[in-house]
Amino acid sequence: LDTLTQDLRKATKAKSDFLARMSHEIRTPLNAIIGLTKLSQRAAEDKEQQTNLIQIEGASQTLLSIINDILDFSKIEAGKLDIESTQFNLDALVNQTIRLHLARAQEKHIELIQHISRDVPLNLIGDPLRIQQVLNNLLSNALKFTSSGYIKLAVQGKALQHGIHELEIKIEDTGIGISRKDKNKLFSAFSQIDDALNRSYQGTGLGLVICQELV
């Protein structure tokens, strides 16, 4: 049994290392494609060319997001996902995150609302990039499954001992919702609720798994 367990660990590590290496190798040229596409958009005078370039950039960004999910998932499996500890401002972080999704929300005529409770300290020490990654993932999901109405990002918190604060971040939306029987699938890797939804809404089924691990 011990030998089998060791073999499984080695296989998992080898798979994770392979995914991490391949994800990195794919991201490098993909970032170049995105950068060159943006430059070409500025130079393109023909509207059809601009439309094609915008679609190329959108498809590339989607692919990059999928690759990033796979890379993070492989790090989690290998136990190599590091959490930083640095100073950051919570209000600035939330504002920046909201701005990233503002254009998409305006396209769909969805109101983006943000609220931070007064009792939550704004100057904190933690990993702002990973917190933003969780917020981005949840907001992206909300935007993906909401066709009208609003999306609200609310932050509450409570003080624990020795200057430690616990933050509670809530995303509320007027989207399609999820049935009670499907909730147990939310945090399963590579799993999405319904095959019909998979065809309508793109995704890897890794986002919430990664969020859970980060939290």
Side-chain angles (χ1 to χ4, degrees):
L1 187 59
D2 288 341
T3 303
L4 180 59
T5 302
Q6 290 176 3
D7 288 343
L8 286 172
R9 286 176 180 170
K10 288 179 182 178
T12 300
K13 184 179 183 304
K15 180 187 70 175
S16 299
D17 288 344
F18 171 76
L19 285 173
R21 190 173 294 111
M22 289 304 298
S23 297
H24 177 74
E25 292 298 326
I26 294 171
R27 278 199 305 177
T28 301
L30 189 55
N31 279 320
I33 291 170
I34 293 170
L36 290 170
T37 303
K38 287 182 177 179
L39 289 175
S40 299
Q41 285 177 35
R42 297 173 189 172
E45 297 180 359
D46 184 86
K47 287 187 177 181
E48 185 178 353
Q49 288 181 343
Q50 287 184 342
T51 301
N52 291 338
L53 288 168
I54 289 171
Q55 289 178 343
I56 291 171
E57 184 188 356
S60 300
Q61 291 286 5
T62 299
L63 182 56
L64 184 61
S65 176
I66 292 170
I67 291 168
N68 286 336
D69 280 350
I70 293 172
L71 181 59
D72 279 341
F73 186 71
S74 67
K75 286 181 179 179
I76 288 168
E77 277 200 320
K80 294 181 179 179
L81 190 66
D82 297 323
I83 300 297
E84 300 294 331
S85 183
T86 186
Q87 293 183 353
F88 70 97
N89 182 276
L90 181 63
D91 188 46
L93 179 68
V94 170
N95 283 329
Q96 182 187 39
T97 307
I98 288 289
R99 284 199 301 270
L100 291 174
H101 299 271
L102 199 55
R104 178 63 175 149
Q106 288 173 345
E107 284 178 10
K108 301 182 74 174
H109 304 288
I110 295 169
E111 184 182 7
L112 282 183
I113 304 167
Q114 63 187 82
H115 174 72
I116 300 177
S117 296
R118 291 182 180 180
D119 58 343
V120 176
L122 299 181
N123 295 309
L124 300 169
I125 295 175
D127 193 329
L129 290 178
R130 292 303 184 183
I131 293 173
Q132 189 173 49
Q133 184 177 0
V134 172
L135 292 178
N136 276 330
N137 199 296
L138 297 178
L139 284 173
S140 293
N141 276 356
L143 275 167
K144 187 189 299 183
F145 296 106
T146 302
S147 57
S148 63
Y150 70 89
I151 296 170
K152 181 179 179 180
L153 190 165
V155 184
Q156 296 178 320
K158 62 180 179 180
L160 303 179
Q161 55 186 355
H162 306 303
I164 296 174
H165 291 264
E166 181 179 84
L167 299 181
E168 180 185 278
I169 298 168
K170 180 180 178 180
I171 308 292
E172 177 184 313
D173 64 64
T174 53
I176 61 176
I178 178 174
S179 65
R180 289 182 180 273
K181 66 181 179 64
D182 286 328
K183 284 187 177 180
N184 62 336
K185 300 178 184 178
L186 282 175
F187 297 99
S188 299
F190 300 104
S191 173
Q192 289 186 320
I193 302 305
D194 189 286
D195 288 338
L197 285 179
N198 288 349
R199 291 191 290 271
S200 302
Y201 304 98
Q202 294 180 346
T204 59
L206 289 175
L208 289 180
V209 178
I210 292 169
C211 285
Q212 187 181 45
E213 291 294 331
L214 288 175
V215 171

